[in-house]
Amino acid sequence: MAILSKEEAQAILKKVIGYSKADFCEVGLNGSDGGNIRYARNAVSTAGQISTMSLGVSSTFGKKTGSATINEFDDASLQKVVKRAEELAMLAPENPEFMPLLGPQTFAESNTYNAKTAAMTPDTRAEMVGKSLSVSKAAGLDAAGFLENATRFNAIMNSKGLFAYNKGTNVSFSVTVRNKQGTGSGYVEQDFNDLDKMDTLALSKIAAGKANGSAGAKAIEPGKYTVILEPLAASDILSNMFRGFDARSADEGRSFMSKKGGGTRLGEQLFSENVNIYSDPMNTEIPSATWNGDGLPVKRTQWVEKGIVKNLSYSRYWAAQKNVEPIPFSRSVIIEGGTQSLEDLIKSTEKGILVTRFWYIRSVDPQTLLLTGLTRDGTFYIENGEIKFPIKNFRFNESPVIMLNNVEALGKPVRTGSGLIPPMKIRDFTFTSLSDAI
């Protein structure tokens, strides 16, 4: 029941729209079906299967909107949720930023669904976790991890004739591996649409290698260093920057895209010339839905080209205020890289620091995007192209904007965290103090 076909979702949404007496009505329907296994200290602690579906109705009279949700789908329940949304709309104040509903749109067919991922069973998950545990047990280490898969669908329809549907799959895996003494730690995190790309055995071996290799860490002085950021570490810090591509916050002086004295930095050379950032929902490595929650088509968009900001994201309301076309942001953010591997970047480094990941990142100054946070789960000193020894973790103070001005080399992008991100070699990265965390 939780995963409806396009036709099944359309039938329910049409029925709900038919019950509406409001000036405008918009209905969203979504469902998910999947399972998970959680383990700690080399033993499974929980395993579950979750199936859920819900429907949300937004009814509008004039500029007054009310919303209600429900997870029952008989006719009486559907009529009830529509009536409740209309009652709330009559009580609501007018929304000064209300935008009329969109009419019918044309969307490209996404490639977010994979049949093999959708067919995952508890036995499949147990086998994948068993491979991870075999690594930690054989090496005398402790592992704590989480494996989850889900199939999801989303559909929207409104009283002006717009209808959109998308179905997708995802499998995600993360594991922390530590030595028995608690002095060394390694971590990996990965997700895919396609189950065949997920190798829990290989990923667990990487985490185990870091756990053993990071024990006995030495303290070195904080300061500015050349760093090699693994894709996960780069994603950790850059995900804060992607949210800043919003035109409204830039126009209102609330982000790093704001220009002093007014205006935005659209068209400025904000990053190094070797930085190119775009999003593409049709990318085969990181596909996403081809429409957003407003019902706008999502297409390939170049955000940064040769370091120059080429586009900002405009909501429908803000686009109308500025008399421009709306541009939705996409979850499929891609930073172009090269062909070098992580190992190649390490070999090319005379002196530097390899960072596995960042943790507990917090904003220091939104207008410069200055961030602070900690390294974690494997930080290593590099000399003459080789990893020489593990080092104690650092606190950093750095802006991803400055970071992307100090890019020396980009490796081959991989799917991780917030997008398709390459390993990065960055000069003058600022570490401010040591941390006793492992």
Side-chain angles (χ1 to χ4, degrees):
M1 178 66 180
I3 305 302
L4 301 185
S5 68
K6 186 176 185 178
E7 291 73 23
E8 291 170 329
Q10 194 169 25
I12 290 178
L13 294 174
K14 275 185 178 177
K15 184 183 293 185
V16 174
I17 294 288
Y19 293 143
S20 172
K21 296 181 176 61
D23 296 340
F24 307 105
C25 182
E26 187 171 33
V27 190
L29 179 63
N30 64 79
S32 69
D33 187 27
N36 61 76
I37 296 182
R38 186 183 300 278
Y39 55 106
R41 292 185 178 274
N42 289 344
V44 171
S45 56
T46 60
Q49 185 82 22
I50 301 171
S51 184
T52 181
M53 191 164 76
S54 67
L55 181 141
V57 179
S58 291
S59 299
T60 301
F61 294 95
K63 293 184 176 181
K64 299 164 65 172
T65 301
S67 299
T69 61
I70 200 166
N71 59 2
E72 300 171 290
F73 300 94
D74 58 274
D75 288 356
S77 296
L78 296 178
Q79 292 179 52
K80 181 174 67 178
V81 72
V82 173
K83 184 179 179 183
R84 175 55 58 90
E86 292 175 351
E87 290 171 346
L88 292 170
M90 298 302 289
L91 297 171
E94 286 195 349
N95 176 7
E97 297 187 3
F98 174 78
M99 290 294 295
L101 299 181
L102 288 172
Q105 304 286 311
T106 301
F107 307 109
E109 194 71 30
S110 77
N111 53 2
T112 53
Y113 180 78
N114 178 275
K116 192 169 183 179
T117 308
M120 281 183 71
T121 65
D123 286 346
T124 309
R125 291 191 288 272
E127 182 182 348
M128 294 172 71
V129 166
K131 289 179 180 176
S132 175
L133 290 174
S134 70
V135 173
S136 53
K137 289 179 178 177
L141 301 166
D142 281 331
F146 188 64
L147 174 71
E148 182 178 36
N149 70 283
T151 303
R152 298 184 176 89
F153 83 93
N154 294 282
I156 58 172
M157 181 181 285
N158 70 31
S159 53
K160 291 187 70 175
L162 183 144
F163 174 67
Y165 173 90
N166 190 75
K167 184 168 69 172
T169 52
N170 192 70
V171 54
S172 62
F173 172 70
S174 64
V175 63
T176 302
V177 180
R178 289 195 167 195
N179 63 7
K180 298 291 184 184
Q181 298 76 29
T183 57
S185 180
Y187 178 83
V188 292
E189 176 185 317
Q190 190 62 267
D191 76 301
F192 296 106
N193 293 80
D194 182 354
L195 174 62
D196 283 341
K197 295 179 180 177
M198 181 63 80
D199 188 341
T200 55
L201 179 66
L203 291 169
S204 299
K205 286 180 178 178
I206 293 172
K210 286 181 180 290
N212 279 325
S214 62
K218 300 178 182 178
I220 65 172
E221 286 295 318
K224 289 185 179 294
Y225 288 91
T226 293
V227 293
I228 306 296
L229 302 182
E230 296 199 14
L232 180 59
S235 172
D236 288 339
I237 196 167
L238 290 173
S239 61
N240 292 277
M241 186 188 77
F242 296 149
R243 291 192 287 270
F245 282 84
D246 173 62
R248 182 172 187 174
S249 61
D251 280 320
E252 294 180 341
R254 295 184 283 115
S255 85
F256 72 96
M257 285 290 182
S258 305
K259 185 183 290 184
K260 285 185 178 177
T264 74
R265 305 185 73 175
L266 184 64
E268 285 191 18
Q269 181 87 42
L270 202 57
F271 310 106
S272 297
E273 287 190 354
N274 54 356
V275 175
N276 294 285
I277 304 174
Y278 67 98
S279 56
D280 184 1
M282 302 303 291
N283 184 283
T284 55
E285 289 299 317
I286 187 167
S288 62
T290 53
W291 48 275
N292 75 348
D294 285 344
L296 282 171
V298 178
K299 301 175 181 176
R300 188 190 194 282
T301 305
Q302 192 79 36
W303 303 104
V304 176
E305 184 175 18
K306 295 182 178 179
I308 299 171
V309 181
K310 303 298 286 187
N311 279 296
L312 295 176
S313 171
Y314 282 82
S315 67
R316 291 182 61 226
Y317 171 75
W318 201 245
Q321 300 304 304
K322 297 297 179 182
N323 198 29
V324 299
E325 289 295 316
I327 303 176
F329 203 76
S330 169
R331 297 182 60 189
S332 301
V333 179
I334 299 159
I335 297 183
E336 288 183 359
T339 57
Q340 293 185 89
S341 65
L342 177 67
E343 291 71 25
D344 292 333
L345 295 183
I346 294 171
K347 285 178 184 175
S348 68
T349 303
E350 184 178 348
K351 289 184 178 179
I353 291 173
L354 174 66
V355 179
T356 298
R357 66 183 296 215
F358 293 114
W359 177 251
Y360 217 82
I361 297 174
R362 293 293 182 269
S363 174
V364 176
D365 179 4
Q367 291 189 319
T368 61
L369 209 59
L370 182 65
L371 304 172
T372 188
L374 301 167
T375 62
R376 189 173 179 179
D377 296 311
T379 308
F380 303 91
Y381 186 71
I382 301 167
E383 192 170 276
N384 297 325
E386 295 180 355
I387 293 176
K388 289 295 183 181
F389 51 82
I391 56 176
K392 293 187 70 170
N393 285 304
F394 286 113
R395 173 168 292 281
F396 72 87
N397 271 20
E398 190 59 84
S399 165
V401 180
I402 295 173
M403 189 180 99
L404 290 183
N405 269 289
N406 292 334
V407 173
E408 290 198 351
L410 299 171
K412 185 179 180 182
V414 300
R415 176 169 171 159
T416 184
S418 54
L420 202 59
I421 310 292
M424 299 181 173
K425 183 175 179 179
I426 308 289
R427 64 179 177 274
D428 294 333
F429 193 92
T430 306
F431 295 112
T432 55
S433 60
L434 290 170
S435 166
D436 289 327
I438 300 304

